[in-house]
Amino acid sequence: MSKHPTIAEHLESSGVSRRNFIQLCSMLMATAPIGLSLTSKKSVLQVAQAIGKTKRPSVIWLHFQDCTGCTETLLRTSAPDVAHLILDVISLDYHETLMAASGAQAEAALRSAMAENAGKYVLVVEGSIPVKDDGVYMELGSKPGVQVLREVASQAAAVIAMGSCASWGGIPSADPNPTGAVGVDSIITGKPIINLPGCPPSPYNLLAVVLEYVTMGKLPELDDIGRPRFAYDRVIHENCPRRAHFDAGRFAASFGDEGHKQGWCLYKLGCKGPVTHAACSLRHFNEIPGVWPIGIGAPCLGCTEKNVVWKMATFQTVPIHLATPPDTYPPIYTSVGGAKVGAAALAGAVAGALGSATYVYSQRFQSSHEAGVERIGADANHIAGMDEAAKHPVQKED
Ligand code: SF4
């Protein structure tokens, strides 16, 4: 086998079955059914063929101020085969957490990986980069981390900021940001940079971006903050399994209350799902169904949004820009009895035809307050006007 085998050659020599590879390609297509020229309008076999004949892409992975969660999400899928497959498809030539070398040996390994694939490797950055006081808060091999980033990025074909910290600073950049933590695109210019925010981000998004780049020779379409549209074009709220409760006006009002136990909507506990672009509601963490923040009863923090996570208070509610039709729901902060919420929801559905009758009907329940359950509704302006959150601009949906 050649020193730089194709993906198919490498998989064959590693004993990976064709079935497993096709499975991985299917997952990739499920992650990015549209938005990638690699996966659009093609069968899974055609996608597998296109990937198979491509040389394994060289990936250099650098750590900065991070918790290693982005690496963990790559390695700790609940299906170990998937993690191995990803590492078989890409050639992870330098990764401080995974490599056995340390010290001078590790430094030599980095130089060697850069020299062998100069101009061709994909640089993945995990963690934010401290720039305050000339980067004194983090050194790698006796150099400021920011200098190492500049050197390695200078010979990369493209740079991927893996996770919210690498994308725009993440947790280390939270006020007062003692190290001057910033994301990759605040430092590197003149290179294609793709942001894959998330805490943690999806490893499938990483794989999809790398494979699109090496098989098709181009990057996926990005939004205005550098995220690939195929993965960040919808807000969580659109596909949230609690959405029916939102529409029906059933809200958890505090942790552990009856609404929370029943799995009702978490909007009033500060859920940022209505403004957060990500696919967490469709692809749960580590392949485990139901395992993602909202799935386990925690409001979404908005970790894929630059101006939400660590910028807004955890329990602060966000303005809602799109009201679910009909927009004649009664006010969101009107209290109603829990036992009657179902009836109110039914009335809401009927009101699709009856218009303002919904509002009149729901008013009959206003005096009751049996289970701390409150009724949503109102149009977007009403909510935004009532909310403290309206004072804090967030990205507006198209
Ligand atoms: Fe789901 Fe949050 Fe939207 Fe409620 S507000 S439906 S919990 S995304």
Side-chain angles (χ1 to χ4, degrees):
M1 193 169 66
S2 73
K3 196 176 174 200
H4 298 289
T6 62
I7 289 173
E9 287 168 345
H10 178 81
L11 293 177
E12 195 178 346
S13 69
S14 304
V16 175
S17 72
R18 177 176 159 79
R19 174 187 288 265
N20 281 351
F21 180 50
I22 296 289
Q23 258 176 350
L24 183 72
C25 294
S26 304
M27 287 167 125
L28 198 62
M29 291 184 78
T31 300
I34 54 170
L36 291 186
S37 42
L38 173 63
T39 55
S40 63
K41 297 179 186 165
K42 289 198 173 108
S43 71
V44 66
L45 291 179
Q46 287 174 307
V47 169
Q49 250 174 1
I51 295 173
K53 64 186 182 195
T54 307
K55 299 267 186 220
R56 286 177 79 211
S58 170
V59 174
I60 291 180
W61 188 303
L62 294 180
H63 289 273
F64 293 91
Q65 294 185 131
D66 65 342
C67 69
T68 322
C70 303
T71 290
E72 289 291 325
T73 197
L74 180 72
L75 301 178
R76 308 280 177 199
T77 71
S78 62
D81 285 353
V82 173
H84 284 153
L85 264 174
I86 291 174
L87 295 179
D88 273 322
V89 167
I90 63 175
S91 175
L92 198 50
D93 293 331
Y94 181 87
H95 190 301
E96 288 150 13
T97 309
L98 301 180
M99 61 200 295
S102 63
Q105 275 185 326
E107 290 302 302
L110 177 58
R111 300 297 148 202
S112 162
M114 288 172 64
E116 279 186 24
N117 297 288
K120 293 189 219 148
Y121 60 79
V122 175
L123 169 62
V124 177
V125 175
E126 178 176 353
S128 62
I129 301 94
V131 295
K132 192 173 171 187
D133 299 334
D134 298 323
V136 70
Y137 293 97
M138 182 185 187
E139 288 199 340
L140 295 170
S142 304
K143 293 180 192 169
V146 64
Q147 184 183 332
V148 174
L149 173 63
R150 285 198 177 102
E151 286 173 11
V152 182
S154 69
Q155 296 186 57
V159 185
I160 297 177
M162 185 70 174
S164 302
C165 297
S167 294
W168 36 69
I171 295 175
S173 70
D175 191 48
N177 193 357
T179 66
V182 297
V184 172
D185 60 9
S186 297
I187 297 167
I188 303 301
T189 53
K191 292 276 173 191
I193 298 175
I194 304 98
N195 288 329
L196 295 180
C199 193
S202 162
Y204 294 101
N205 290 342
L206 172 69
L207 190 63
V209 170
V210 171
L211 289 179
E212 172 79 354
Y213 190 60
V214 296
T215 56
M216 311 308 291
K218 61 178 189 173
L219 291 169
E221 188 187 352
L222 306 179
D223 66 14
D224 57 353
I225 50 175
R227 303 173 298 190
R229 286 193 188 279
F230 76 82
Y232 297 91
D233 64 339
R234 291 280 184 271
V235 291
I236 285 173
H237 189 62
E238 285 183 43
N239 293 301
C240 180
R242 297 180 190 238
R243 177 59 185 264
H245 295 299
F246 176 94
D247 290 343
R250 294 186 288 266
F251 294 92
S254 62
F255 288 100
D257 73 1
E258 195 53 33
H260 194 237
K261 286 179 193 161
Q262 296 291 330
W264 289 0
C265 173
L266 303 168
Y267 177 77
K268 292 186 179 179
L269 295 179
C271 181
K272 309 295 190 291
V275 296
T276 301
H277 295 77
C280 312
S281 51
L282 299 174
R283 183 173 285 288
H284 300 168
F285 291 11
N286 296 60
E287 315 300 314
I288 305 172
V291 175
W292 64 297
I294 290 173
I296 59 169
C300 166
L301 293 178
C303 68
T304 60
E305 296 297 334
K306 190 173 187 175
N307 294 322
V308 176
V309 71
W310 319 125
K311 302 289 189 299
M312 292 181 70
T314 301
F315 299 116
Q316 187 178 2
T317 51
V318 291
I320 296 177
H321 298 287
L322 294 178
T324 301
D327 59 2
T328 49
Y329 286 132
I332 191 170
Y333 287 108
T334 301
S335 300
V336 297
K340 295 172 183 173
V341 165
L346 179 60
V350 173
L354 299 181
S356 60
T358 306
Y359 182 81
V360 174
Y361 186 81
S362 63
Q363 297 306 298
R364 294 169 54 193
F365 300 140
Q366 282 192 5
S367 59
S368 185
H369 193 48
E370 294 164 10
V373 180
E374 297 177 283
R375 172 83 181 152
I376 192 176
D379 58 57
N381 291 336
H382 175 76
I383 297 170
M386 290 183 70
D387 249 320
E388 177 67 12
K391 295 173 188 166
H392 299 264
V394 293
Q395 187 179 351
K396 192 167 181 173
E397 291 181 44
D398 293 328

